[in-house]
Amino acid sequence: MSVQSAKRRITAVDIAKRKNGDPVVALTAYHAHTASILDEHVDFILVGDSLGMVMHGMESTVPVTLDMMIVQGLAVMRGSKRALVVVDMPFGSYEASKEQAFHSAARVMKETGAGAIKMEGGEHMAETVEFLVRRGIPVMGHIGLTPQAINTMGGFRVQGKSDENQAQTERDAKAISDAGAFAMVIEGTVEPLARKITEDIPTVTIGIGASPACDGQILVLEDMLGLNVWTPKFVQKFGSIREHIEEAVTGYADAVRDRSFPGPDHVYARKQK
């Protein structure tokens, strides 16, 4: 493989071809430095609107703005070279009309250079998804538990528990798949339903609190690293970064207070003539 081809970014088309293939690996990132760490290990990086909760301490993703997504999307693009970068469309930036969605999505792609956008919603958003795809914007869908809709869902509730909700979720998956989404996140959905959807549709499914049968998996980086105090049931902590940070900060604070830092190696001496 040539150096030039080795550096080619993964595209939405590449991800779409992974149906029933090797599992797609994905994580969220919001910064250039974390994106640079993830880049060689994941297939796509999601600049999620979860940044509202993770970075800004918001209670939900609803207050996140398009400008916030663009700033962090650009940071992730600067820090990555290989992985596909997907940017979330925040609440209020696409629901009003197909045209609003196109203008918002086009702005994201032009100002960040990202390779795709992600939109929440099922049947009611299918027409918009198709509208964007036909105009050259790769769309990743998002069904099941859709955090932007928690005010109508009554909170972060697992989806697919009732027959009615299961049937609706299946219709949502089919509609977004038929509309041309290259991939689809299935979040917070009972395992048998997420498995069935993955088997029934030709679109790549990315699970988060869904099923190991999905074509890929995604987690919020800070959850997976153990940086957050509380994490959802579906998260496995693969690190304990919070403990390491607390240990380092404690060590720093103690060193400042006992005046062992800064030491001779950390200050500048005057040049000798």
Side-chain angles (χ1 to χ4, degrees):
M1 181 181 291
S2 69
V3 173
Q4 184 176 2
S5 62
K7 291 183 178 179
R8 182 181 75 85
R9 267 199 195 270
I10 295 171
T11 67
V13 174
D14 295 326
I15 299 296
K17 292 178 179 177
R18 298 278 287 275
K19 185 70 182 181
N20 298 321
D22 293 336
V24 177
V25 180
L27 284 166
T28 64
Y30 322 112
H31 317 91
H33 61 274
T34 51
S36 68
I37 296 170
L38 304 186
D39 195 43
E40 288 299 318
H41 305 284
V42 303
D43 299 301
F44 76 85
I45 298 171
L46 174 65
V47 186
D49 59 0
S50 50
L51 66 84
M53 303 170 78
V54 175
M55 292 180 62
H56 298 280
M58 297 174 178
E59 293 186 359
S60 75
T61 62
V62 173
V64 175
T65 67
L66 191 63
D67 285 340
M68 292 167 68
M69 298 308 306
I70 289 172
V71 168
Q72 305 309 145
L74 187 55
V76 169
M77 284 296 295
R78 291 192 188 108
S80 63
K81 303 297 180 186
R82 170 186 166 276
L84 169 67
V85 174
V86 182
V87 178
D88 254 337
M89 298 287 285
F91 179 73
S93 68
Y94 62 93
E95 296 92 340
S97 68
K98 303 187 297 294
E99 291 76 17
Q100 182 205 27
F102 175 78
H103 288 302
S104 296
R107 186 182 165 206
V108 167
M109 297 192 70
K110 288 174 71 172
E111 295 185 28
T112 68
I117 59 95
K118 180 172 76 64
M119 286 172 37
E120 295 185 9
E123 277 188 310
H124 66 289
M125 292 307 302
E127 186 179 353
T128 298
V129 171
E130 182 176 8
F131 187 83
L132 298 187
V133 172
R134 286 183 177 274
R135 284 157 180 77
I137 298 177
V139 178
M140 178 177 290
H142 186 152
I143 65 165
L145 194 166
T146 48
Q148 293 175 13
I150 61 165
N151 290 320
T152 55
M153 283 184 166
F156 294 95
R157 298 181 183 278
V158 176
Q159 300 297 294
K161 288 187 173 182
S162 68
D163 291 343
E164 180 182 359
N165 185 251
Q166 175 171 332
Q168 181 60 61
T169 305
E170 289 187 74
R171 290 195 298 271
D172 289 339
K174 185 179 187 305
I176 297 301
S177 177
D178 290 347
F182 73 91
M184 183 185 313
V185 171
I186 304 177
E187 179 172 359
T189 300
V190 294
E191 197 281 332
L193 175 56
R195 180 180 294 269
K196 184 176 186 301
I197 289 172
T198 299
E199 293 171 351
D200 288 349
I201 65 172
T203 303
V204 166
T205 60
I206 308 297
I208 177 167
S211 171
C214 289
D215 297 299
Q217 301 293 329
I218 188 168
L219 286 175
V220 171
L221 178 65
E222 286 77 3
D223 288 343
M224 183 271 286
L225 291 177
L227 188 58
N228 295 325
V229 176
W230 176 87
T231 54
K233 168 187 170 64
F234 55 76
V235 173
Q236 177 177 336
K237 292 184 180 180
F238 289 86
S240 54
I241 299 301
R242 187 180 184 88
E243 294 176 13
H244 293 306
I245 291 175
E246 288 181 341
E247 181 181 353
V249 171
T250 298
Y252 165 74
D254 290 344
V256 170
R257 292 185 177 112
D258 66 18
R259 297 190 180 276
S260 61
F261 176 83
D265 293 339
H266 308 119
V267 295
Y268 299 97
R270 185 177 178 182
K271 278 188 176 183
Q272 299 295 323
K273 293 184 178 180

